[in-house]
Amino acid sequence: MKETAAAAEPPELPPHWFLYLVERMERMENNLRSEFRQEIGDVRRELHGIYRWSIGLLVTMLLGFGGIVVTLAVTLR
């Protein structure tokens, strides 16, 4: 067993083109992650704007209906 362990060749290093491709893939992954985070942030801002708009619309409708109810109550008295 000692002879086979001593005779075994050391593991070969991957070729330089493989390391280059791995580096490129890592950079591409990082770029995609940052773009994805930016897109998620944009979507969140847009949803927040829609949320504010919908709350404003709801308040306006409630005030309008409240005004109609008050007007009818006063005039039909």
Side-chain angles (χ1 to χ4, degrees):
M1 292 183 88
K2 290 181 182 178
E3 291 174 5
T4 50
E9 296 179 15
E12 292 184 28
L13 292 175
H16 68 282
W17 56 267
F18 178 76
L19 295 176
Y20 172 76
L21 289 176
V22 169
E23 268 185 42
R24 292 277 298 171
M25 288 182 351
E26 286 177 0
R27 275 190 263 143
M28 188 182 303
E29 180 184 4
N30 288 339
N31 289 341
L32 286 174
R33 283 180 191 258
S34 67
E35 286 180 22
F36 183 71
R37 284 186 185 124
Q38 183 179 3
E39 289 291 324
I40 292 296
D42 292 345
V43 168
R44 282 186 179 169
R45 279 191 292 276
E46 237 176 273
L47 286 176
H48 192 67
I50 291 171
Y51 174 74
R52 282 184 175 174
W53 180 82
S54 64
I55 293 296
L57 181 62
L58 180 65
V59 168
T60 303
M61 287 173 38
L62 289 174
L63 288 175
F65 288 136
I68 291 172
V69 168
V70 168
T71 302
L72 287 175
V74 169
T75 56
L76 294 178
R77 211 176 202 207

